[in-house]
């Protein structure tokens, strides 16, 4: 009796995932006329969907070279900006590609801007590995 054996080959591709904190791209300062809308865009490179949060500063924090912990301790005059409860996903920018380290982002739209909206805004982004921050300044021109 002759036995027939089938040989099969399989190819396994193993990709090592490097875990990294998100990296924010710089945010441009914005000048807007009173009564108009202003949109701020925060983009981060990350290998997973990070968590974003916007802060509005009410004091004039010193430049702490990106040290958010020191800034929060030294200046407690900030507000955490809540997302729109009616359209919670409207502000999220999904990656345009399926690349492993793709840009994710959020938009913050200030509607009917007033002089009180002028000031420093901080985008805070984090994942399980770490966080990054980027600041921008909104200038409001009077009517």
């Amino acid at each position: 009796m002759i036995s027939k054996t089938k040989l099969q080959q399989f190819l396994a591709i193993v990709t090592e995932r490097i875990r990294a904190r998100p990296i924010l791209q710089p945010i441009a300062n914005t000048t807007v006329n009173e009564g108009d809308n202003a949109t701020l865009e925060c983009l981060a490179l990350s290998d997973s969907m990070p968590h974003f949060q916007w802060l509005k500063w009410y004091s004039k924090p010193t430049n702490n070279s990106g040290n958010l912990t020191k800034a929060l301790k030294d200046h407690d005059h900030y507000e955490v900006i809540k997302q729109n409860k009616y359209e919670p996903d409207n502000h999220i920018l999904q990656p345009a590609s399926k690349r492993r380290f793709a840009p994710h982002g959020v938009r913050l739209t200030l509607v009917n801007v007033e002089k009180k909206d002028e000031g420093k805004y901080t985008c805070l982004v984090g994942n399980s590995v770490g966080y990054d921050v980027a600041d921008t300044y909104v200038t409001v021109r009077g009517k």
Side-chain angles (χ1 to χ4, degrees):
M1 174 182 262
I2 299 176
S3 153
K4 290 187 179 179
T5 304
K6 278 189 174 180
L7 294 177
Q8 294 182 346
Q9 288 184 333
F10 295 94
L11 175 62
I13 299 174
V14 178
T15 304
E16 183 178 357
R17 182 173 173 179
I18 299 171
R19 300 192 49 131
R21 69 176 178 84
I23 300 169
L24 280 171
Q25 297 178 1
I27 305 172
N29 293 333
T30 303
T31 300
V32 63
N33 293 322
E34 197 170 0
D36 289 347
N37 297 343
T39 300
L40 309 176
E41 190 170 277
C42 181
L43 295 174
L45 292 174
S46 180
D47 64 341
S48 62
M49 183 61 184
H51 173 75
F52 288 89
Q53 188 64 64
W54 283 99
L55 303 176
K56 163 72 167 94
W57 292 92
Y58 289 102
S59 62
K60 192 171 186 177
T62 59
N63 182 359
N64 290 306
S65 301
N67 187 342
L68 180 67
T69 305
K70 181 168 175 26
L72 294 178
K73 285 180 184 174
D74 293 347
H75 305 279
D76 59 350
H77 297 87
Y78 65 92
E79 172 187 2
V80 175
I81 299 174
K82 295 175 177 58
Q83 71 184 43
N84 182 342
K85 66 181 179 181
Y86 301 108
E87 298 180 71
D89 294 330
N90 189 36
H91 71 292
I92 297 174
L93 306 174
Q94 297 295 337
S97 72
K98 299 284 185 198
R99 291 180 309 175
R100 194 173 51 142
F101 207 65
H104 297 77
V106 293
R107 283 191 184 113
L108 172 64
T109 302
L110 306 173
V111 179
N112 194 18
V113 173
E114 300 175 26
K115 198 66 174 168
K116 69 178 177 67
D117 295 316
E118 184 172 88
K120 182 177 178 177
Y121 290 79
T122 297
C123 178
L124 169 64
V125 60
N127 62 18
S128 61
V129 179
Y131 70 91
D132 198 6
V133 295
D135 297 324
T136 185
Y137 197 87
V138 174
T139 302
V140 180
R141 288 190 289 227
K143 290 185 175 185

